[in-house]
Amino acid sequence: MSIHREKIDVTQLPHHYDGKVLLAVIGGTGLYDLPNLKPVARLTISTPWGFPSSPITISVTDSGFPVAFLARHGQHHDLLPSDVPSRANIAALKSIGVKSIIAFSAVGSLQPEIKPRDFVVPTQIIDRTKGIRPSTFFEKGFVAHAMFGEPFDLRLNKLIGDTIPSKGFLEGFDTDATPILHTKEHTNKGEDLTVICMEGPQFSTRAESRLYRTWGGSVINMSVLPEGKLAREAEISYQMICMSTDYDSWNENEEPVTVETVVGNLKANSANACKLAAKLIDVVSDEFKKNDGFGDDLKGSMKFSVSTSTHGVKKELLEKMHFLFPGYWPVH
Ligand SMILES: CSC[C@H]1O[C@H](OP(=O)(O)O)[C@H](O)[C@@H]1O
Ligand SMILES: Nc1ncnc2[nH]cnc12
């Protein structure tokens, strides 16, 4: 994929895009656009759960494959982790046809071998949020329970691990950093890589950080939940790519993490993050082009995960759910 150097004023782009967009990238702290792609539309989408964090930019790869991009904390990073409108974000992406999401996140490392500027493809999550974030599309009157034992899409996870080399994936790139891509199968001896999701916005105490290490935590952030849960409910395959920016607070020999450290490493590593994002988009778009059901593993899963008899559900609730699942449950 070549770098798209021509600067385009995204505010002047069309506000509609004809056609489905199968892949989305959610950008976290430090990743507010996809500079390697050509933007072709910018959508403002209203959902029954409000507006997303930012307009959704549709860009195309050199081969014309469209990718949606959403900035999790807003274009100017004005949303706290607890205030990210994750339901609107996921619902808006679903409404334009998205089947797979690659979500980027800046994380603290809980393990010495995960160095600042390394990337991690996690396989498990521990929830340390405080229950203040809306974390389901369902509500009183319409009850459903999604599977979440494997919180990330294992097919997407394996595809990334198998096609992007753990070392040297940035070869030839203008950087003095030599990051590693940590994956369960290729660098972690088949052991899960676990992301702890805390509420924030304050960072962890040393005691908390040490506790998470005893729990088997690999990295820590404030954003994989409820995003991952909502993607699961929306039947969208979801994988987070973590970029390590600091050693959190567990290491007695180092100062506890500050935003300065996080932002310093993000800035120094942003070209690497963009390069990795571009590679991942190419790999996933090739998979979609095979047209063999990639991204469809969850299709239909929520239809049969509902506990409430749909005859008893209020019309307004069913209509709201039809934004996500058109045609699933008939409105009587
Ligand atoms: C600025 S450090 C804490 C902040 O960074 C991470 O954001 P994201 O996951 O969106 O990259 C972390 O989760 C916190 O929200
Ligand atoms: N140490 C940390 N804790 C939580 N979120 C983070 N994002 C980046 N570093 C982090």
Side-chain angles (χ1 to χ4, degrees):
M1 182 180 293
S2 62
I3 305 276
H4 185 79
R5 293 178 195 285
E6 183 194 335
K7 190 80 189 150
I8 290 180
D9 179 0
V10 287
T11 60
Q12 301 303 313
L13 290 170
H15 300 304
H16 59 88
Y17 182 79
D18 295 330
K20 295 223 171 219
V21 184
L22 301 175
L23 175 63
V25 170
I26 298 182
T29 302
L31 187 63
Y32 304 104
D33 60 5
L34 292 173
N36 300 10
L37 304 191
K38 180 179 178 214
V40 293
R42 192 168 146 95
L43 317 177
T44 302
I45 300 175
S46 171
T47 81
W49 297 275
F51 285 94
S53 306
S54 72
I56 293 173
T57 305
I58 312 295
S59 303
V60 291
T61 63
D62 287 349
S63 64
F65 186 81
V67 181
F69 179 85
L70 175 62
R72 180 183 292 120
H73 300 279
Q75 212 61 60
H76 307 289
H77 203 130
D78 53 0
L79 292 167
L80 285 163
S82 313
D83 293 333
V84 172
S86 294
R87 289 187 300 184
N89 289 353
I90 298 295
L93 293 175
K94 176 86 180 181
S95 76
I96 56 171
V98 166
K99 291 186 176 190
S100 287
I101 295 176
I102 298 176
F104 279 82
S105 171
V107 300
S109 167
L110 297 169
Q111 300 299 335
E113 68 276 13
I114 301 174
K115 303 201 165 26
R117 306 187 193 181
D118 278 0
F119 294 90
V120 179
V121 190
T123 47
Q124 279 298 326
I125 304 175
I126 293 176
D127 188 357
R128 281 278 299 159
T129 62
K130 301 273 163 96
I132 59 172
R133 306 177 182 191
S135 62
T136 176
F137 289 109
F138 295 88
E139 57 189 274
K140 191 174 171 186
F142 195 23
V143 177
H145 303 277
M147 280 188 307
F148 207 53
E150 294 291 351
F152 298 104
D153 180 349
L154 292 180
R155 192 163 159 193
L156 190 50
N157 188 294
K158 189 164 170 356
L159 176 74
I160 293 169
D162 288 352
T163 49
I164 310 270
S166 290
K167 282 188 192 165
F169 61 98
L170 300 168
E171 250 163 43
F173 224 59
D174 182 18
T175 173
D176 55 5
T178 53
I180 289 178
L181 182 77
H182 297 262
T183 60
K184 174 175 174 173
E185 297 307 335
H186 297 277
T187 58
N188 216 36
K189 302 188 181 104
E191 297 287 322
D192 280 312
L193 285 155
T194 300
V195 52
I196 309 272
C197 187
M198 61 177 295
E199 188 63 53
Q202 301 83 0
F203 292 113
S204 307
T205 64
R206 285 204 194 277
E208 286 165 337
S209 194
R210 286 195 295 258
L211 176 69
Y212 301 148
R213 279 167 52 76
T214 69
W215 289 354
S218 312
V219 292
I220 181 162
N221 75 4
M222 304 175 191
S223 25
V224 68
L225 297 176
E227 196 172 270
K229 287 184 175 177
L230 293 162
R232 177 57 53 88
E233 283 190 350
E235 300 180 350
I236 297 176
S237 90
Y238 177 91
Q239 180 62 54
M240 179 162 269
I241 307 291
C242 301
M243 190 174 100
S244 162
T245 52
D246 53 87
Y247 279 120
D248 200 40
S249 312
W250 55 271
N251 191 342
E252 302 279 351
N253 300 322
E254 294 207 16
E255 287 299 310
V257 55
T258 63
V259 167
E260 205 182 346
T261 311
V262 171
V263 172
N265 276 317
L266 277 173
K267 281 200 174 137
N269 217 20
S270 73
N272 292 343
C274 290
K275 167 90 172 169
L276 179 59
K279 283 203 174 194
L280 293 172
I281 289 168
D282 277 347
V283 163
V284 175
S285 68
D286 284 349
E287 220 48 36
F288 272 118
K289 283 177 198 158
K290 289 183 191 160
N291 223 345
D292 66 351
F294 184 79
D296 282 339
D297 288 356
L298 294 166
K299 197 172 170 183
S301 58
M302 289 316 288
K303 196 166 184 178
F304 305 104
S305 303
V306 173
S307 305
T308 313
S309 152
T310 48
H311 290 280
V313 180
K314 281 194 192 133
K315 196 166 162 250
E316 308 84 80
L317 271 185
L318 283 177
E319 280 169 356
K320 195 169 166 187
M321 295 312 288
H322 283 171
F323 187 86
L324 287 172
F325 307 111
Y328 264 26
W329 305 289
V331 180
H332 295 287

